[in-house]
Amino acid sequence: MNSIEQHYGELTSEITMNGITPDANSMPMNKMFLGKKFQKIIKNSTRTIDSVMNVIYEKPQSFENGEVYEWELQGLVLSVYVIECKKLFVKGKHFWAYNVGIIE
């Protein structure tokens, strides 16, 4: 399994972003895996971001692109910057994936 396919698995139920538990959450990966469009968004932001991850919900959330939220797992609190939201269709179901940058 490559780094893009790795998820928190059983620990996902202990994750919250802005107080809301996601249905899935990828492990952090280096921002170099992002396309040029998203690298440019990060470069133009005032945030220092070296890692990104996907936080996925079955229903759309009120998270806005460019806004900062708190992501938490077992007492570890990180500030994350929403880069983009995408609606996905997986195995007959819709999901909303929020690509977030971890603020250093």
Side-chain angles (χ1 to χ4, degrees):
M1 178 168 17
N2 68 38
S3 64
I4 295 174
E5 296 171 339
Q6 292 181 351
H7 293 268
Y8 279 96
E10 294 176 6
L11 290 176
T12 302
S13 64
E14 297 182 41
I15 295 171
T16 61
M17 187 163 99
N18 209 38
I20 305 166
T21 301
D23 293 289
N25 200 117
S26 71
M27 298 294 281
M29 61 192 114
N30 190 288
K31 70 179 181 183
M32 73 179 196
F33 290 108
L34 291 177
K36 289 181 181 181
K37 171 186 170 185
F38 303 110
Q39 296 240 8
K40 185 176 181 179
I41 290 170
I42 290 173
K43 184 179 178 184
N44 290 337
S45 80
T46 59
R47 316 290 181 196
T48 302
I49 296 169
D50 288 325
S51 300
V52 296
M53 62 184 165
N54 294 308
V55 186
I56 303 165
Y57 294 89
E58 194 171 321
K59 297 184 189 259
Q61 303 299 314
S62 60
F63 307 137
E64 298 290 330
N65 292 352
E67 293 295 319
V68 176
Y69 299 96
E70 281 193 348
W71 181 95
E72 184 174 0
L73 171 62
Q74 298 179 335
L76 170 66
V77 179
L78 302 173
S79 293
V80 296
Y81 174 85
V82 177
I83 298 167
E84 184 185 48
C85 174
K86 280 287 188 187
K87 184 178 178 182
L88 307 174
F89 190 69
V90 180
K91 296 184 181 181
K93 291 181 83 173
H94 289 282
F95 292 91
W96 282 258
Y98 295 87
N99 182 259
V100 299
I102 301 169
I103 299 172
E104 301 296 324

